[in-house]
Amino acid sequence: LSTNLTEYLVPEEVKEVVQRRKYLIAENVPEALAVKISSLGNLFSALDLAQIAEIENRPVEMVARLYYQLGNKFELHWFLTQITQQGVSNHWQALARASYREELDWQQRVITIVLLNESPSEKDADKVLNTWKNDNSVKLSRWYHMMSEFKTSDNHDFAKFSVALRELMLLSMNANH
């Protein structure tokens, strides 16, 4: 995964990795180290992806492509950024924010598994994702509507994140035939 990461990421994420790498190199970080450091955020899920590939008996390349494309198409990466940037004013809010990040990672993992199970013989991650999106467009519309509301608001609070994460969980449960 770390060697071929940019093959699985969406172009926007590849651009971010490249920018981070260039910045680090400009700051005199050795290139090999800059490459590794610039990829760490995207490799956070590498162990999950390897485990999914093993459990589902699928190529890790396909699982990685599906996982990262899913994160982009469902706006999960954007949503994670909103959670991460949410300010905290006390210990409990910091714990809640960390919990929301973990929950989002978990839901992305679960939905990846759901999609793989829905298309057990398909080898093309993009086809798996597009088929599932088309088959579940009504259920997905609630999620997309919620993300639209987030995008039109400058102020998020922990209650909004909690409700959105519950909606994502219900999406994964209801879409799993």
Side-chain angles (χ1 to χ4, degrees):
L1 286 172
S2 63
T3 304
N4 301 308
L5 180 65
T6 56
E7 292 180 27
Y8 315 122
L9 299 177
V10 297
E12 180 180 297
E13 291 172 316
V14 171
K15 183 178 176 183
E16 290 172 6
V17 168
V18 169
Q19 287 174 339
R20 282 192 301 262
R21 184 182 72 225
K22 285 180 180 178
Y23 170 79
L24 291 169
I25 291 170
E27 294 292 319
N28 297 318
V29 174
E31 186 171 355
L33 184 56
V35 168
K36 289 184 185 289
I37 292 171
S38 64
S39 301
L40 288 176
N42 299 95
L43 287 172
F44 177 78
S45 304
L47 294 176
D48 282 344
L49 299 176
Q51 186 178 42
I52 293 168
E54 182 179 351
I55 290 169
E56 298 298 322
N57 196 28
R58 298 290 188 98
V60 72
E61 297 83 7
M62 185 225 186
V63 171
R65 171 97 181 147
L66 180 60
Y67 181 88
Y68 291 119
Q69 295 299 315
L70 166 76
N72 180 59
K73 301 273 189 201
F74 289 9
E75 302 180 21
L76 303 180
H77 300 155
W78 179 86
F79 188 57
L80 177 61
T81 300
Q82 303 314 299
I83 293 171
T84 301
Q85 292 176 350
Q86 178 67 27
V88 296
S89 59
N90 61 53
H91 175 69
W92 287 104
Q93 289 180 348
L95 290 175
R97 183 177 62 190
S99 174
Y100 294 156
R101 285 193 305 249
E102 290 173 14
E103 179 65 20
L104 182 59
D105 289 337
W106 181 256
Q107 289 305 326
Q108 187 169 352
R109 174 191 165 104
V110 168
I111 294 173
T112 300
I113 292 169
V114 167
L115 270 67
L116 290 168
N117 287 323
E118 289 292 311
S119 301
S121 60
E122 182 59 61
K123 307 270 188 255
D124 184 329
D126 295 325
K127 279 187 181 178
V128 170
L129 181 57
N130 290 332
T131 299
W132 193 82
K133 277 183 66 179
N134 291 336
D135 292 348
N136 293 278
S137 61
V138 173
K139 296 169 186 166
L140 277 168
S141 67
R142 285 181 52 130
W143 173 253
Y144 287 129
H145 179 73
M146 194 169 284
M147 289 301 95
S148 292
E149 287 185 20
F150 262 87
K151 288 179 179 181
T152 59
S153 172
D154 293 335
N155 186 19
H156 308 309
D157 59 31
F158 287 100
K160 283 175 66 175
F161 290 117
S162 180
V163 171
L165 287 166
R166 175 138 173 92
E167 183 64 33
L168 189 61
M169 181 196 62
L170 292 172
L171 174 65
S172 68
M173 290 174 55
N174 291 330
N176 191 0
H177 299 292

